């Protein structure tokens, strides 16, 4: 009798363990083909956390031309807000399984991660690095 209960329990555990936890993550193509709004920037050493209103700083990736278009409407010059308004060439490169955004062929903006409709850009510098967080912008 115990064996009859044990077999379904094993099957259930195997079924749960085989499910992917990345179902909520955006794939590269989905993440690139949306309009991103800068939500916040966290500076490590300074401990500064700056929040932005939705639509203040917008990034659009064009994967067919490898162009990043930035519309930066932030008027506070005392706050770091990433790239200025303009168009930038970009590439994405994978190093040790992590994806990095390179702008204008030589400027590494950091590691990209797409999770739950959010994009994070972490320059990976210990203690005094920057972490930029973007959300999908729907006007």
């Amino acid at each position: 009798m115990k064996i009859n209960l044990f077999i379904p329990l094993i099957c259930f555990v195997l079924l749960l363990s085989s499910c992917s936890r990345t179902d909520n993550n955006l794939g590269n193509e989905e993440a690139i083909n949306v309009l991103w709004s800068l939500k916040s920037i966290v500076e490590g050493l300074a401990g500064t956390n700056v929040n932005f209103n939705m639509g203040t700083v917008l990034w659009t990736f064009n994967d067919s031309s490898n162009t990043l278009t930035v519309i930066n409407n932030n008027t506070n010059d005392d706050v770091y807000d990433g790239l200025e308004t303009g168009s930038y060439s970009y590439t994405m490169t994978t190093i040790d399984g992590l994806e990095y955004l390179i702008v204008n062929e030589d400027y590494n903006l950091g590691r990209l991660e797409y999770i739950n409709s959010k994009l994070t850009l972490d320059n990976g510098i210990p203690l005094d690095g920057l972490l930029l967080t973007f959300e999908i912008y729907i006007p």
Side-chain angles (χ1 to χ4, degrees):
M1 186 62 116
K2 289 183 181 180
I3 292 177
N4 288 341
L5 293 174
F6 187 68
I7 291 173
L9 179 63
I10 293 291
C11 291
F12 181 72
V13 169
L14 289 173
L15 178 66
L16 286 179
S17 66
S18 67
C19 293
S20 172
R21 297 189 58 119
T22 61
D23 291 342
N24 292 332
N25 295 348
L26 293 171
N28 284 347
E29 290 180 22
E30 292 175 52
I32 293 302
N33 294 314
V34 297
L35 185 60
W36 293 102
S37 180
L38 180 62
K39 178 182 178 182
S40 66
I41 294 181
V42 177
E43 296 180 59
L45 189 59
T48 306
N49 186 358
V50 179
N51 294 309
F52 294 89
N53 291 327
M54 188 66 91
T56 302
V57 180
L58 298 171
W59 286 24
T60 307
F61 294 90
N62 182 327
D63 61 342
S64 62
S65 65
N66 287 344
T67 302
L68 167 62
T69 302
V70 176
I71 300 171
N72 189 332
N73 294 312
N74 181 36
T75 57
N76 184 350
D77 292 335
D78 295 332
V79 174
Y80 177 77
D81 52 17
L83 299 171
E84 295 298 319
T85 296
S87 292
Y88 304 86
S89 63
Y90 78 89
T91 57
M92 289 202 212
T93 186
T94 302
I95 302 170
D96 295 331
L98 302 173
E99 197 168 27
Y100 291 84
L101 176 65
I102 311 296
V103 173
N104 290 345
E105 297 181 15
D106 63 351
Y107 184 50
N108 186 345
L109 289 178
R111 181 177 54 114
L112 285 175
E113 189 172 21
Y114 316 109
I115 299 174
N116 297 326
S117 301
K118 292 186 181 177
L119 179 143
T120 58
L121 187 56
D122 184 352
N123 72 355
I125 300 173
L127 298 178
D128 63 348
L130 294 171
L131 175 66
L132 286 72
T133 303
F134 296 83
E135 289 186 342
I136 294 175
Y137 179 70
I138 301 172

